[in-house]
Amino acid sequence: MYESGENYLETILVLSRRGGSVRSIDIARELNFSKPSVSRAVGILKEDGFIVTDEDGSIKLTEKGKDKANNVYERHQLLTAFLMETAGVSPEIAEDDACRIEHIISEDTFKGIKKYLQSHKEK
């Protein structure tokens, strides 16, 4: 899956946690994207089995979508914390950098960062 698809899934997850129902317009506002761009992405995610839409336009993650979105969200959260803790950067910079890194980091490196944060949280 491409970075943009992961960003959409993560955004749907975050928006649903905030307020329940998610519509294309909510995603467009959150990401500052045009409605046609979001509609295209929603169609692709639906076609690939990551989301379903209701007759009222509500977007919901499938189990496959939830798994992927939770995975991306976890990477984002842990990388943000790691960058703030180890590099001493502001939350804003850590968020922006984590958003880029989360899509390209290897599983081995991510597991190492997760292990590092867990071991340092206990101290």
Side-chain angles (χ1 to χ4, degrees), residues 66-81:
K66 284 179 193 172
D67 289 344
K68 186 67 173 174
N70 281 318
N71 182 276
V72 173
Y73 186 71
E74 178 190 30
R75 283 186 279 159
H76 183 95
Q77 295 298 307
L78 288 175
L79 288 167
T80 300

Side-chain angles (χ1 to χ4, degrees), residues 76 79-80 83-84 87-101:
H76 183 95
L79 288 167
T80 300
L83 292 170
M84 287 170 38
V89 297
S90 71
E92 295 79 18
I93 291 173
E95 284 272 336
D96 288 346
D97 288 346
C99 195
R100 287 189 288 271
I101 296 168

Side-chain angles (χ1 to χ4, degrees), residues 18-75:
R18 270 193 221 152
S21 181
V22 178
R23 300 176 58 131
S24 290
I25 190 67
D26 303 320
I27 298 167
R29 285 182 185 138
E30 184 74 14
L31 295 175
N32 200 25
F33 289 169
S34 71
K35 287 190 258 180
S37 294
V38 173
S39 291
R40 183 175 178 280
V42 165
I44 292 168
L45 292 172
K46 190 175 180 180
E47 206 173 279
D48 291 344
F50 289 103
I51 62 170
V52 293
T53 54
D54 294 345
E55 58 280 343
D56 68 350
S58 294
I59 299 167
K60 292 185 172 51
L61 295 167
T62 62
E63 284 304 312
K64 177 180 173 181
K66 284 179 193 172
D67 289 344
K68 186 67 173 174
N70 281 318
N71 182 276
V72 173
Y73 186 71
E74 178 190 30
R75 283 186 279 159

